[in-house]
Amino acid sequence: MKEVLAKYFKGDSVIWGVVILLSLVSLLAVYSSTGTLAYQSQTSTTTHYILKHFTLLLISLIIIFVIHNIPYKYYSRLSQVLLLISVILLILTLFIGEDINMAKRWLTLPGLGLTIQTSDFAKLALVMYIARILSVKQYKIGDSKEVMSYLFIPTIIVCALILPSNLSTSVILFATILILMFIGRVKVAYIAKLIFTGLLLVSLFISGILISGDQIRIETWKNRIENFINAEEGGDNYQIEQAKVAVSTGGVLGKGPGNSIQRDFLPYAYSDFIYAVIVEEYGFLGGLIILFLYMFLLYRAGVIVKTSNRSFAAFLAIGLSLLLVFQAMINMAVNVHLLPVTGQTLPLVSMGGSSMIFSSIAIGIILSVSRSANEKGKEKNE
């Protein structure tokens, strides 16, 4: 059995294990947290949602399997095309995207009836592209013109297009690119300039919103910040209050699978606040295990980087891992009230098609890099 699995499921076996464990946690948590959603819909049952989620998980695992069998070198040139497509999709989203909860983040693909969150696609494309440039231009990385043309401009464009509808995603992506550039030996002075440009961009955006008098968005930001700061003094933040109750009543071992009470009161308990439900049902220990799974994913990416003999492979693996882990950390931090509400899902766990699919593609690429490193290691030893 072990030989059969090793034959078809190549790459880092630990990462495969992390993916399977997170998928099992996802099934249990989504099944437990969709009761209220089923009640509100009045036409669907919890079974309907869990079957839909199970199908999506199965598709995601198939995507990981297919992607991990494609040599990672093909993603280098493909990244240029994907980056261009992502910019076009982000622009289209700003103008004709679906306006949900006062934000245009989703784009419906004509003829297919499918809705994707274009920022998920853009995150993947930009990290792949930056990994390519850092490897191809490694010996010119000290040239300011090269850095500006090939690294800074694409990063600013993509992050700026994501910023109006999804500030937290733009910040996560920007931070990931900064770390990737630092690892890629871009001069600290250049990185500092990019940080300054990013801060200036955010300041101009916020100033523009204030000048335009968009009261709905201004009030949303104001309420989130005030509720986060004044939570201990009884701030009126329903989401965070219910999440805190879930976390605090979970104890060390939790209430047991399916026994969450706060799932009936938590908005988006199946996506944004699924970690709070997990802690309530599986306790502090269960929450800690989830945290360690993501950290272990990042650690294994570091191992892949160490064993890889190609710079593109190394940048690709660590960049995509950072992207996934940063998002997971922010989701968990929001759930335990360390950060204001951001709307970030928990990768590979939260219910949601677009996030799950693109997270699976990222995992598949990381495993592709790992598979290549393992195969070259075997050839070296023979």
Side-chain angles (χ1 to χ4, degrees), residues 132-147:
R132 168 186 165 80
I133 297 302
L134 287 173
S135 59
V136 173
K137 302 287 183 179
Q138 189 62 219
Y139 297 104
K140 297 181 180 180
I141 216 68
D143 188 328
S144 61
K145 290 183 179 179
E146 294 285 333
V147 172

Side-chain angles (χ1 to χ4, degrees), residues 195-217:
I195 293 173
F196 175 78
T197 306
L199 291 173
L200 181 63
L201 188 67
V202 173
S203 299
L204 289 173
F205 171 67
I206 294 174
S207 299
I209 294 296
L210 293 173
I211 294 170
S212 68
D214 189 345
Q215 291 300 321
I216 296 177
R217 182 169 291 187

